[in-house]
């Protein structure tokens, strides 16, 4: 088995939860399983991104607040989902809420998941905290970044 076939097979196993290969597996059947797994993974990311967009579309009179948001270090929980702390600083004169889109990426920057976390009712001049949690299991070198944030 070549390095690429091994990598593809491991990726397919990781993405689809397969636990064993039969003697009937051929290179084309393995490739088909990999393509199917990749398609499902792409669908999951597309669905998460679309949901994030809908959440932001519902916010009226929001102000860009990306610079007011900081993320902690991503941590993988025992269930395989990745979480990251979100801190939003409110510089407005009154209490405000924040909607923050957190993108989970791999080490090369490829989007693995996108979630929106709300940090509600942050008092003027204070910070509020929340936690972003991936919608599914993520593995490998998972990183988190603020894709967009709105104060409203």
């Amino acid at each position: 088995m070549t390095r690429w076939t091994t990598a593809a097979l491991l990726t397919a196993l990781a993405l689809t939860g397969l636990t064993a290969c039969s003697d009937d597996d051929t290179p084309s059947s393995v490739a088909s399983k990999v393509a199917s797994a990749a398609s499902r993974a792409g669908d999951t990311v597309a669905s998460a991104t679309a949901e994030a967009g809908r959440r932001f579309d519902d916010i009226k009179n929001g102000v860009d607040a990306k610079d007011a948001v900081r993320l902690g270090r991503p941590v993988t929980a025992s269930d395989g989902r990745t979480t990251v702390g979100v801190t939003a600083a409110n510089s407005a004169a009154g209490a405000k809420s924040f909607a923050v889109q957190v993108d989970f990426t791999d080490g090369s920057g490829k989007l693995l998941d996108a979630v929106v976390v709300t940090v509600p009712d942050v008092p003027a001049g204070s910070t509020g905290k929340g936690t972003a949690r991936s919608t599914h299991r993520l593995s490998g070198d998972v990183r988190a970044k603020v894709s967009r944030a709105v104060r409203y």
Side-chain angles (χ1 to χ4, degrees):
M1 208 180 298
T2 69
R3 234 179 22 206
W4 292 106
T5 304
T6 302
L9 180 57
L10 290 174
T11 301
L13 291 173
L15 291 173
T16 63
L18 298 173
T19 58
C21 294
S22 71
D23 291 336
D24 297 333
D25 283 340
T26 64
S28 64
S29 71
V30 170
S32 176
K33 290 176 186 175
V34 169
S36 177
S39 175
R40 283 193 302 278
D43 290 347
T44 300
V45 171
S47 176
T49 304
E51 177 59 26
R54 282 190 290 278
R55 298 266 312 265
F56 277 88
D57 289 345
D58 290 342
I59 297 171
K60 305 298 180 220
N61 301 319
V63 175
D64 179 28
K66 190 173 176 180
D67 291 339
V69 176
R70 299 287 176 255
L71 299 180
R73 214 171 123 214
V75 176
T76 301
S78 61
D79 66 357
R81 290 188 169 185
T82 301
T83 61
V84 65
V86 177
T87 302
N90 182 11
S91 61
K96 298 290 181 179
S97 295
F98 292 77
V100 181
Q101 179 178 335
V102 176
D103 288 352
F104 292 102
T105 63
D106 65 12
S108 67
K110 178 182 173 199
L111 184 63
L112 302 172
D113 198 3
V115 297
V116 175
V117 62
T118 302
V119 182
D121 304 319
V122 180
S126 295
T127 59
K129 296 187 181 291
T131 302
R133 184 173 190 254
S134 65
T135 62
H136 59 281
R137 300 181 124 220
L138 304 177
S139 61
D141 180 20
V142 178
R143 299 175 186 195
K145 69 176 188 173
V146 176
S147 176
R148 58 185 164 167
V150 175
R151 182 183 73 214
Y152 59 100

